[in-house]
Every structure is written in C-alpha cells, then in structure tokens.
Amino acid sequence: MARTLWTILLPLTPSGALGVCVIVVADFGLLFSAGVFNPSFTTYRMAATPDAFMSRVGTSWSVGAKTCQAAFVVAGGFIAATAGVRGALLIAGLLCMASALLLPWRKARLPSGHVPAPTTEAVASPATDSPAA
C-alpha cells in the first residue's frame, strides 16, 4: 500500500526547483517501497507454490505483468491525450490508491507468519509411462 501513496504527488508537483525536489522524493519513495515489497511478495509466492508448479507460476506472473504493463501504457497515452499529462497522472495516482482496496484486509485465518505448506501433485514417473512391451 505504501507504493500507491507516492504516485499522487506527481500531478501536484509545482514547477521549478521545488518541483524537481518533489519528483525526486516521490520517485525515491516509490522505488524504495517497491524494492521492499517485490522480494517479500516473491518469497511468499515461492513458499506458497509447490515446486512442481513454480515454473508455471513464474512464467504466468511474468507474462501477465508484461501484458498488463503494455496495455496500461497505451491506456495512459489515450488518457493523457484526452485529459492532459497532469490529468492522466492524477487519474493514475487515484487508481493506484484505489487498488489498495483490493488488498486482503480481512483478518487472516492463519496465524501470523504462517506460509501454507506446499502440496505435491501426483506425477507419474517416465519409466512407468512407457508402453508395455
């Protein structure tokens, strides 16, 4: 959630040296928050995913992130052409802040710090899959 708060500063930035300072602070806060979140979330995702599915999860996460990024760059361009750059930044900041509502705020059913144990899939060995001679 801390990543979303920094984006709202960008459209409110004044011009001049003060504006440059605000942008530097906002970018630092955003990158620092992302730098703390991304490894933590990746670690949780790896711990919660069975080893047999880790490559599938990693690949689908990568493809999904790259696809969404490209789609939202195009959408941001359309919004910027319509509402202007500051308007597009304001809309993006508000949407980022609203995305925090999608986080699982309900009380966790598991004790704090508990990561679900990975489950294994019954995978047949290649030696048993060969046709009978």
Side-chain angles (χ1 to χ4, degrees):
M1 187 175 121
R3 292 190 302 176
T4 66
L5 301 175
W6 299 103
T7 57
I8 202 67
L9 291 176
L10 296 176
L12 305 175
T13 302
S15 60
L18 178 61
V20 172
C21 290
V22 171
I23 289 175
V24 167
V25 168
D27 284 348
F28 176 79
L30 177 65
L31 292 173
F32 181 78
S33 299
V36 170
F37 172 77
N38 288 339
S40 301
F41 188 62
T42 301
T43 301
Y44 176 81
R45 193 170 60 236
M46 289 174 65
T49 303
D51 291 339
F53 298 117
M54 197 58 229
S55 63
R56 293 178 192 176
V57 170
T59 302
S60 62
W61 192 267
S62 177
V63 168
K66 289 175 183 171
T67 303
C68 287
Q69 183 179 13
F72 280 100
V73 165
V74 171
F78 285 132
I79 294 171
T82 306
V85 175
R86 286 190 186 261
L89 287 172
L90 181 63
I91 291 169
L94 292 173
L95 288 174
C96 283
M97 289 178 67
S99 71
L101 298 174
L102 299 175
L103 293 172
W105 293 103
R106 64 185 179 275
K107 186 175 181 178
R109 296 180 187 168
L110 301 172
S112 178
H114 175 73
V115 175
T119 58
T120 57
E121 177 181 312
V123 178
S125 133
T128 60
D129 286 344
S130 62

